[in-house]
Amino acid sequence: MNKLEKTFQKINPIIIWLGKSPWLQAISISMVSTVAITLIGSLSVLLMVLPVDSVHQFFIVSKMMPVFNNVTTCTLGILAIYVTFFMARNLVRQYNVDTDSTLCGIAAIMAFLIVTPMADDTGAITAIPLTWLGVQGVFSAMLIGLSVGRLFIFIIQRGWTLRLPKGVPPMIGRVFEGLFPFVLVGIVFLLINRLFMATPWENVHQCIYTLIQQPLKGLGGSLWAFLLVTLVMQILWFLGIHGTNVVLPLVTPIWLAMDLENLAAWRNGLEMPNVLGLAFFNIVTWSGLALGLVLLMCVSKSKQFNQMGKLALMPALFGITEPVIFGTPLVMNYRLMVPFVTNNAIAIALSWLLIKLGLVAKIVGAQTIFGLPLGFFATVGGAASIIALHLFLQLILSPLLWYPWFKMAEHAALAAEREADKEDL
């Protein structure tokens, strides 16, 4: 235990530095910012394929289907546009430079569209194809948004802006200050577009999709990647660092793309290609499987644990487990380290196996919001078997995984409480 503690103490400064990285912070905030967009898109798809014939017929008669389809296109269908804007704007905000972050986000959208192929065989542009605006363009959107944001930061930090006299209204002055970086972004991405037209990929998006997004999907979308991610995430939580905020942003673009592939296939009545995805991860690891520990605490003979369980129960039923993590505490608690670090990985492996065996349906990839109560969080999965899996993991598997380790911790707590009672006498 002492060796393990010393090892964690050595790597802790590196992990803290990584968690404070403006790049990771920008990616994390940007992906969270897309939740409302993906939620609205997911709900529109769910309504289009709702398995209630009377409701489905009503939507057809009332001509709501084209409306739902339009909502899906304007949310999930052009998700890359939103991602581009958020990435550029949030990176500028993280560096806290004196410039209009919204203007930077607009410049990023312009850059993204400049490198997006639109013309037909005759060279005419009659419409913007959705090929690279949706799931296939999410990764390139992230890279372009971050690149434009960093270019803005580079220019502003060196003072390469147009400064107008002090008498000019601030609103006009801010526009002119961002004019030079805006124009430079346009020139740079115009040249990039022309350069890639001479390559076998023909455009930036195809290059990034072929060389980066597809290989990363193969690596980051595998069961082993999911297990590694959750183990690293929980180790960070054990060290007192918000592991979700540090690790999840790195894999969210890959996992979200897998969800959108499933959602598109489900919408069109096709076989869903992916067992795993961001929705799978969120449903299976909901609450970090700490609810089982809270339930054990509620029936504990230890006054300390019993009181903590009662205090943490209501938040835990809504997936909020910070009270039990920091109140027990689970942070740097070596007695409970093993279940705290490994429970999520066990749940992921078991759920993957059950879906592979056909005992549980594949998750459709619809996104939901944080804070829904136990059971309701899994309703967007698309099947009753997914809700049953969610409840099984939380109410049966989780307490079983925590039980032997909790009993040892409870035994030590009871001994300490008896000693305290003797001293009081």
Side-chain angles (χ1 to χ4, degrees):
M1 288 297 181
N2 290 334
K3 289 182 179 179
L4 190 60
E5 188 173 355
K6 289 178 181 178
T7 302
F8 283 148
Q9 288 174 352
K10 289 179 181 178
I11 65 173
N12 204 29
I14 300 173
I15 295 169
I16 293 174
W17 171 81
L18 185 63
K20 292 181 178 179
S21 166
W23 293 81
L24 279 181
Q25 291 293 324
I27 294 171
S28 177
I29 295 169
S30 298
M31 297 315 297
V32 170
S33 299
T34 64
V35 168
I37 298 165
T38 55
L39 175 62
I40 293 171
S42 298
L43 288 176
S44 67
V45 173
L46 290 172
L47 290 172
M48 289 175 69
V49 295
L50 199 66
V52 179
D53 188 62
S54 58
V55 177
H56 187 73
Q57 290 300 320
F58 170 75
F59 286 152
I60 294 175
V61 172
S62 61
K63 298 183 179 179
M64 287 298 296
M65 286 301 185
V67 177
F68 292 145
N69 190 57
N70 189 53
V71 170
T72 304
T73 301
C74 293
T75 52
L76 303 179
I78 60 169
L79 184 63
I81 297 291
Y82 301 113
V83 170
T84 305
F85 174 82
F86 287 134
M87 290 291 172
R89 187 190 66 168
N90 289 320
L91 185 63
V92 167
R93 288 184 173 182
Q94 287 299 313
Y95 274 87
N96 199 28
V97 294
D98 185 23
T99 189
D100 188 343
S101 60
T102 300
L103 186 65
C104 180
I106 297 298
I109 293 176
M110 177 189 70
F112 182 89
L113 293 175
I114 285 174
V115 298
T116 301
M118 301 182 191
D120 57 22
D121 294 336
T122 65
I125 300 176
T126 56
I128 301 177
L130 297 177
T131 308
W132 299 111
L133 303 188
V135 58
Q136 290 187 204
V138 166
F139 209 85
S140 59
M142 184 176 73
L143 296 179
I144 291 171
L146 293 174
S147 299
V148 171
R150 193 63 187 89
L151 183 56
F152 254 71
I153 293 165
F154 179 84
I155 294 169
I156 299 300
Q157 286 178 338
R158 281 154 183 78
W160 299 347
T161 58
L162 299 175
R163 298 288 181 180
L164 298 183
K166 293 184 178 179
V168 176
M171 182 179 66
I172 304 298
R174 297 290 285 180
V175 171
F176 274 87
E177 285 175 13
L179 187 60
F180 178 71
F182 203 101
V183 171
L184 186 59
V185 165
I187 294 172
V188 168
F189 278 86
L190 182 150
L191 295 174
I192 290 174
N193 188 41
R194 181 63 188 89
L195 178 65
F196 274 88
M197 286 174 64
T199 66
W201 301 289
E202 297 183 348
N203 63 78
V204 173
H205 301 305
Q206 186 65 59
C207 177
I208 293 174
Y209 184 78
T210 304
L211 299 182
I212 301 178
Q213 186 166 335
Q214 280 293 84
L216 282 179
K217 178 189 171 185
L219 294 173
S222 67
L223 174 63
W224 297 111
F226 270 70
L227 296 177
L228 177 62
V229 165
T230 193
L231 287 172
V232 172
M233 194 180 294
Q234 291 305 115
I235 289 172
L236 294 180
W237 273 110
F238 176 76
L239 295 173
I241 299 167
H242 201 300
T244 306
N245 286 350
V246 175
V247 180
L248 198 59
L250 300 176
V251 293
T252 292
I254 302 169
W255 293 358
L256 182 59
M258 295 167 67
D259 276 350
L260 296 181
E261 288 175 356
N262 274 13
L263 201 58
W266 189 58
R267 172 188 173 190
N268 295 315
L270 304 174
E271 174 68 22
M272 289 181 283
N274 303 306
V275 170
L276 303 170
L278 184 61
F280 171 94
F281 182 84
N282 289 335
I283 290 172
V284 169
T285 65
W286 183 83
S287 83
L289 268 76
L291 178 60
L293 175 61
V294 174
L295 295 175
L296 292 173
M297 285 182 171
C298 287
V299 295
S300 174
K301 296 177 182 178
S302 165
K303 295 178 183 178
Q304 170 195 341
F305 283 146
N306 188 265
Q307 185 177 8
M308 174 52 61
K310 291 176 180 177
L311 290 172
L313 180 59
M314 187 56 66
L317 290 173
F318 287 81
I320 302 168
T321 52
E322 280 80 1
V324 71
I325 291 174
F326 296 105
T328 305
L330 296 179
V331 174
M332 300 300 287
N333 185 340
Y334 290 94
R335 282 195 177 94
L336 297 172
M337 176 185 174
V338 172
F340 187 41
V341 171
T342 62
N343 281 4
N344 280 357
I346 294 171
I348 287 173
L350 178 61
S351 301
W352 176 87
L353 180 61
L354 291 174
I355 293 174
K356 278 289 188 180
L357 293 174
L359 300 176
V360 176
K362 288 183 179 179
I363 296 172
V364 299
Q367 306 303 308
T368 186
I369 57 173
F370 177 76
L372 292 179
L374 175 69
F376 286 86
F377 195 86
T379 55
V380 297
S385 60
I386 296 168
I387 301 175
L389 171 66
H390 178 70
L391 295 175
F392 167 77
L393 294 175
Q394 296 297 326
L395 299 178
I396 298 176
L397 181 66
S398 177
L400 289 175
L401 293 176
W402 282 104
Y403 185 78
W405 308 94
F406 173 73
K407 294 307 288 184
M408 288 190 288
E410 183 187 44
H411 179 74
L414 286 170
E417 288 172 9
R418 283 194 292 267
E419 286 296 322
D421 291 340
K422 288 179 182 179
E423 291 177 4
D424 292 339
L425 294 174

